[in-house]
């Protein structure tokens, strides 16, 4: 007897059932690519989103920064203090600390420092200006010495500053952009308000080599001159940084008020992956907790580093958690459908091999031998395919983690099919015989499934949002599959009544097709459990995905509108009446509202900005915005934001004393126009005498339905002037995470549709033998091809229609439950829970696609059946074709 090795097993499977074997192998390939490539792709998307978020925060915020307010060493022998010891020894100490970072060293760069003097009250030193400066300009400067300036900046004009000499002017350089803003040209001098006052000559201008570096991000005044108009608009104060020779700093620092040393370690955000974020946050937090000693003689000071990096990483986790959970949920639809189709394929393969199984049993083989044979025949296909799929996923999606992370999912996918084949390889499989004990056990198992699914849904619904710390919630992730299984069990139990009704309906038809179809609906339905499960999970998760993305898009747009206050928001330090009229007259503006501000007033013991607006105008511009904090001003004296526990009332002088009742709202919901951290929004009619003195700082515009929002925003920028900022509500939508969620939905829906098509194909293939025998008999009785095709469609219709309808209802219900568990702040960027939105056209199109897939599968089966000879219907059940 020839020994059956792996090659012979594979060849025998190929000869016996090549199509089914190829289908099983293809399903395993797809499953491995999903299991290995999905997490890698998700990690890549999350890492991209993390880098974008850290870039938006800026290197200045995430750098490890320390300030030495006392930058001098004390010599008790001479009773003197000197900057020199710390200035000359600090770089070595920073390098020593950096060397102790271990794995954190790949994220944190080498240390750097500057000497800085900011005058009294940190307001900078006043400058007298130059002959070319504007007459209504005022100037303030910070003085710095940066040992690494030549590495951070390039010389644009002039030369680098020389050593400070007694009695001579300070040679300084500044940013070329700042010099142009202040109209200070190289070679010109101006008096700087040090004590005593000194002349400063601009010897050169510089520009950043990389404006994103921590050196420039830590202080915006280094790269450009900040401008602050006065409240009455009569003058503008400019603030910038001047650099002196770094070797001269120990000599001149003691003569400058407010001198200090600022040290930092830059952070390379590109070296942080989404998977590394929690570990990096913990390491940075541990480092920042313990101050580092200077280890410089006669300098007992310590470096206490501070950074926003851990907070940014935690905030990213909070923003990403809903997207991670949704991506995992969306992937469950294809995964569940794939598992069901795989089981259907293995079931069909066992049916095709039933005669061989009977032969093994007839020759004395045991049930375990039969199962081992089935597992071996399947493994010779699936194991190489699984390895190839894992290698393909790793090659196509590089950088998503170590290849060792692919070993476990690859092994599970490679072994799942052989184990399932062994479980299905029962000697009596397919004969329909079940004992009373097995029927009772099945009933108990079905009841347990329904009970577990119900308890899971109750717990998920009762618990509410779970926060972001844990990422994907296992209970929420398990809910869809449990619900799909429970729904399938319930439908299979209650379906016989519907099948009997359908049979009676078909029997009342005029032709013989209905009678024959009615006689076959019951037996066909009894074998439809896995097909129905695949349809319920595939269709259900597709509807769930479409519903969640529609809900997220609507909720994100509403959150953006609430934050912006309207379709377009304009804010400035002062908007003239002419500018306001020009904004109101822009074509396409359907409604407008102005925001004015009064000097701060005490709210209890907390000073707050007082904004004035017309509630009716606010209601008009906010038409269509759900749960707006600004809309709460309608019918109330005032709303207050940014104060944790505001009093019930406040009093404002108008100049008469006016008492206003306060209604607290979330200030983060309206952060674009109401820019002050603590504010009160008052109906301008409540302060008729003070309102004319208020300064208009913002305008909200509602754009007409068919107008171009971008065109309106562009016109607003032109009308409001260069000092105003213009924001549109659409700015907040479309992050990499949102794009990843939508891409996952699209891919999951397409894959679910293809798998459901596979369900129909496998279901029809499993009934091919019976269908051919029935067709041969019916053709002998006079049935034509059209009637035979109608019978094929009738075989598939109950499963397809019930699966699609039940799946759609399951998906919509699941969306309502899952939406209750997602933190809205990370899901839509707002603390206001979004309303459930069903995209009716897209959902209807998807459901139609599933039904069309059933029709296409039936048509293919009809075409194949019609090309088979009539004698094929006389073959026995166990024979191969």
């Amino acid at each position: 007897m020839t020994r059956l090795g792996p090659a012979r097993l594979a060849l025998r499977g190929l000869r016996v059932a090549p199509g089914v074997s190829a289908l099983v192998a293809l399903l395993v390939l797809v499953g491995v690519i999903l299991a290995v490539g999905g997490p890698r792709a998700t990690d890549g998307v999350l890492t991209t989103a993390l880098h974008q978020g850290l870039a938006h925060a800026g290197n200045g915020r995430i750098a490890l920064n320390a300030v030495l307010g006392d930058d001098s060493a004390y010599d008790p022998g001479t009773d003197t203090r000197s900057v020199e010891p710390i200035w000359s020894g600090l770089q070595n100490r920073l390098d020593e600390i950096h060397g102790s970072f271990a794995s954190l060293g790949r994220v944190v760069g080498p240390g750097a420092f500057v000497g800085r003097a900011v005058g009294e009250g940190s307001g900078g030193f006043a400058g007298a200006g130059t002959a070319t400066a504007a007459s209504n300009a005022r100037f303030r400067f910070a003085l710095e010495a940066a040992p690494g300036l030549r590495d951070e900046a390039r010389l644009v004009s002039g030369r680098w500053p020389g050593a400070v000499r007694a009695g001579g002017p300070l040679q300084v350089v500044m940013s070329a952009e700042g010099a142009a803003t202040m109209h200070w040209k190289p070679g010109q001098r101006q008096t700087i308000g040090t004590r005593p006052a000194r002349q400063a000559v601009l010897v050169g201008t510089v520009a950043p080599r990389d404006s994103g570096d921590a050196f420039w991000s830590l202080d915006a005044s280094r790269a450009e001159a900040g401008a602050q108009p006065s409240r009455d608009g009569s003058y503008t104060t400019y603030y910038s940084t001047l650099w002196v020779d770094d070797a001269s700093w120990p000599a001149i620092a003691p003569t400058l008020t407010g001198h200090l040393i600022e040290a930092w370690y830059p952070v390379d955000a590109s070296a942080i992956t989404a998977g590394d974020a929690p570990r990096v946050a913990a390491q940075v937090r541990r480092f920042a907790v313990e101050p580092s000693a200077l280890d410089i003689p006669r300098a007992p000071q310590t470096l206490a580093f501070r950074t926003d990096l851990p907070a940014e990483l935690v905030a990213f986790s909070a923003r990403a958690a809903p997207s991670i959970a949704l991506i995992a949920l969306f992937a469950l639809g294809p995964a569940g459908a794939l598992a069901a189709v795989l089981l259907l394929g293995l079931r069909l393969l066992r049916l095709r091999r039933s005669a061989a199984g009977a032969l093994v049993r007839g020759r004395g083989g045991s049930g375990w031998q039969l199962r081992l044979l089935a597992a071996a025949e399947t493994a010779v296909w699936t194991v190489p395919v699984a390895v190839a799929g894992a290698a393909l996923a790793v090659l196509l999606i590089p950088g998503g983690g170590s290849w060792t992370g692919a070993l476990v999912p690859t092994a599970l996918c490679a072994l799942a099919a052989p184990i399932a084949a062994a479980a299905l390889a029962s000697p009596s499989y397919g004969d329909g015989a079940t004992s009373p004990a097995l029927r009772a056990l099945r009933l108990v198992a079905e009841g347990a499934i329904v009970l577990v699914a119900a308890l899971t849904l109750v717990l998920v619904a009762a618990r509410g949002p779970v926060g972001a710390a844990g990422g994907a919630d296992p209970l929420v992730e398990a809910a869809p599959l449990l619900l799909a299984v429970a729904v399938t069990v319930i439908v299979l139990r209650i379906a016989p009544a519907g099948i009997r009704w359908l049979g009676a309906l078909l029997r009342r038809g005029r032709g013989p097709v209905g009678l024959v179809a009615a006689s076959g609906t019951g037996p066909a339905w009894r074998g439809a459990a896995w097909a129905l499960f695949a349809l319920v999970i595939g269709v259900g998760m597709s509807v769930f995905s479409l519903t969640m993305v529609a809900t997220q898009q609507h909720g994100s747009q509403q959150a953006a509108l609430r934050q912006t206050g309207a379709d377009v928001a304009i804010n400035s330090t002062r908007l003239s009446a002419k500018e306001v009229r020009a904004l109101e007259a822009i074509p396409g503006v359907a409604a407008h509202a102005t925001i004015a501000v009064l000097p701060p007033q005490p709210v209890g013991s907390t000073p707050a900005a007082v904004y004035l607006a017309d509630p009716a105008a606010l209601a008009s511009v906010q038409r269509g915005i759900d749960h707006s904090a600004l809309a709460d001003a309608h019918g109330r004296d005032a709303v207050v934001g940014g104060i944790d526990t505001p009093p019930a009332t406040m009093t404002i002088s108008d100049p008469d004393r006016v008492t206003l009742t306060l209604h607290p709202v979330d200030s983060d919901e309206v952060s674009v126009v109401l820019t002050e951290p603590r504010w009160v929004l008052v109906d301008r009619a409540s302060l008729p005498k003070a309102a004319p003195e208020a300064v208009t700082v913002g305008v909200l515009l509602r754009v007409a339905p068919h107008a171009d929002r971008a065109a309106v925003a562009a016109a607003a920028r032109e009308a409001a002037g260069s000092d105003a900022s213009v924001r549109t509500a659409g700015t907040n939508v479309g992050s990499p995470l949102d794009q990843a969620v939508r891409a996952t939905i699209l891919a999951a829906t397409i894959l679910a549709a293809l798998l459901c098509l596979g369900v129909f194909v496998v279901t029809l293939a499993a009934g091919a033998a019976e269908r051919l025998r029935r067709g041969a008999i019916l053709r002998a009785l006079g049935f034509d091809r059209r009637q035979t095709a109608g019978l094929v469609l009738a075989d598939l219709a109950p499963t397809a229609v019930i699966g699609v309808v039940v799946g759609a209802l399951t998906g919509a219900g699941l969306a309502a439950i899952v939406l209750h568990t997602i933190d809205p702040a990370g899901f839509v960027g707002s603390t206001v829970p979004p309303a459930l939105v069903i995209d009716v056209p897209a959902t209807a199109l998807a459901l139609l696609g599933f039904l069309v897939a059933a029709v296409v599968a039936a048509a293919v089966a009809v075409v194949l059946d019609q090309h088979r000879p009539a004698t094929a219907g006389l073959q026995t059940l166990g024979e191969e074709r």
Side-chain angles (χ1 to χ4, degrees), residues 700-726:
L700 301 175
L701 305 177
R702 177 167 62 85
V703 179
H706 302 294
D708 185 354
R709 183 184 298 176
V712 172
R717 290 187 183 93
E718 183 176 350
S722 58
D723 291 336
S725 64
V726 178

Side-chain angles (χ1 to χ4, degrees), residues 785-810:
R785 294 177 181 271
R786 183 180 59 83
Q787 291 171 319
T788 304
L791 286 175
V792 174
L793 190 59
D795 288 341
L796 200 60
T799 302
V801 173
I802 293 177
V804 169
V805 172
V806 173
L809 296 176
T810 302

